[in-house]
Amino acid sequence: MEHGGNVLKIGKEIGVGPHEIVDFSANINPFQIPDELMQVITQAQKNVSIYPDPEYYELRKALANYSSTEIERIVPGNGAAQIIHDVIKLINPEKTMLPVPTFSEYEAALKVTGSNVVHFKMEITNNFELNVGELIKHIDESFDLLVLCNPNNPTGNLIMKKEMEQILEKCQKVGCKVIVDEAFIEFVAASERFTMASEAERWNNLIVIRAFTKIFAIPGIRLGYGVHGCLALSNNHRKYAVPWSVNVFAESLKDYINSVEASVYIKKISETIKLEKEIMEERIKKMEAFTVFPSHANFLLIRLIDHEKYNVERVCSWLLKRRILIRNCNNFNGMPSRFFRVAVKKKEENDQLIDSLLYINNSILNNKQC
Amino acid sequence: MEHGGNVLKIGKEIGVGPHEIVDFSANINPFQIPDELMQVITQAQKNVSIYPDPEYYELRKALANYSSTEIERIVPGNGAAQIIHDVIKLINPEKTMLPVPTFSEYEAALKVTGSNVVHFKMEITNNFELNVGELIKHIDESFDLLVLCNPNNPTGNLIMKKEMEQILEKCQKVGCKVIVDEAFIEFVAASERFTMASEAERWNNLIVIRAFTKIFAIPGIRLGYGVHGCLALSNNHRKYAVPWSVNVFAESLKDYINSVEASVYIKKISETIKLEKEIMEERIKKMEAFTVFPSHANFLLIRLIDHEKYNVERVCSWLLKRRILIRNCNNFNGMPSRFFRVAVKKKEENDQLIDSLLYINNSILNNKQC
């Protein structure tokens, strides 16, 4: 399964450096890493010759503080991907409910453990919103695990806390664990009203998975963490984790994430992205060749109009010739055809993308070559 | 299981910073990280906002070149610990032969998969040398895996290539895979005569595990890799590995490891350490309270004389009061009592340790308090 953001490979294929591609395929914050974070990372260089604390005590304390929960519930790891794979191996579910389309790494991790995966379709007719009532009806004693991404990738839909609690309650009754993936939660306005991390102690069947990759634009650093509702599972997870799985640069985030600067930065970025997203949405809505879907995250899901001469592959390759990389959604399980996803980037880059989409739109409407 | 090198935790306990402790407990090169490597790591900061290449093509090419093997055989990971755990999960051995005492992470990883572990004792009477003839006799069809650390930690003993080939041949006959852990191979003089990485294509049952942690003194960076004799297992390992498991700083080593500077550095460090080790050995040999064992690596295994008033815990705590940290070997499976391990460090630090050991030696011989 391919993910977005592979600018190294694609740059090589078209003969340009990774920094020369305008990458709308990876959903990461397009603004510069905060100066204070970069300073912390630079400082961490002096610790490369010391083994990281195997207990990651200070890091876990900082993550607990950041997530408004207790240190005992925190397990840090080598990016969210590591946490996803480890938690699924630990739970080792026989049968899993997976609302789709969603982030493909869950399907990949469930395949490794051989879980029977039941897809619960989020329907295009409902703007890919999760039908909570229907989902609850379908969850029964036969399920060991339910995975929810909130907000979801690639659809951008958000589950309200009240709905989340209904789901958790039903799952608790039938003995089903619930993973809530909050990789994009910081981009949601008033995210404290939606996160389940701070509710972990209330739900013994809850595991929240988070990362700083997206909000601080640091996919190269690798820091993810789990927040466990169940203290026994939290302990098992910590024992199961490979020693020194967090490198010193990732560990150094402990000195930044609870600072005033960090919270100011997150607020500013999420507001800026929200504004930019609205501008993009408005412009794309005016194009007949595209349908744009409502999104609470830092990306937009877009459908290309039915047309025998134009498909998403053609749109992708036309854009790539202009060094614009978008995410073809054809390999997302449960995703109807003709969809692609674009990250919200800086104004100038967004304009470049929108102008290109407008050109494609006009070509399609005029049935010209694009 | 505790490992060495936990200066953060121990520093906290005795109220000093990690840099104030003279750490003989972690077996890493005591000299400064090479300037050129530090430059490469600093340069990597500009890539933290880009996802690492999921295929790690350039990194794998560099590791293959460094190990005199083919790129298809290389799987990089988040430190050797990650490779150890992943490879053992993949092989999922029912029954494993583990010569002991050895690096404890193998036992830990085998416990996770529930393997039946048979310990093959390396005897103190034989200076902990592996009795290859006896080992070969004991390996039969019932074994799925044999683990050999070469040189071995904490004993420092080295298996000759000819012996290794005899072992591999017997194991191949009975369908037993062999992991050869070469975490310390760069410290061995003329290491190219001992490494099995360059022989991988000849042995379908061989997996070599290596890392740069020790030789470049970079435990905080996290870069390990596997070299597979079996291409199918290599492919499975790459598919099994969690995406983006190597961070950009670890990935940047690709631009250093095959340089002239790197090979000059490795040669210089290994020669310096060897010389220092010989000086330490000579001095400890003169102390009646200690027996030092021959070592091909960058550490020495030492036995404290039988004495009812003095045990290794007491030696450790006396040294720690002087901010010297050594590795008590009492939690190594198969290790007789009264052993400790010390890394070879810089001359001044080694002298400090040896002077302290001499003081303890004299106290014991004079039966005084130390």
Side-chain angles (χ1 to χ4, degrees), chain A residues 99-103 120-122 128 152-155 332-336:
Chain A
V100 289
T102 196
F103 181 45
F120 180 85
K121 270 194 96 171
M122 295 185 280
F128 296 106
N152 188 43
N153 169 15
T155 62
F332 277 99
N333 228 319
M335 176 63 84

Side-chain angles (χ1 to χ4, degrees), chain A residues 12 49 51 58 78 217 245, chain B residues 12 49 58 78 214 217 245:
Chain A
K12 212 173 197 178
S49 291
Y51 274 93
E58 296 295 337
N78 189 33
S245 59
Chain B
K12 214 173 196 178
S49 290
E58 295 296 336
N78 189 34
K214 317 295 182 182
S245 59

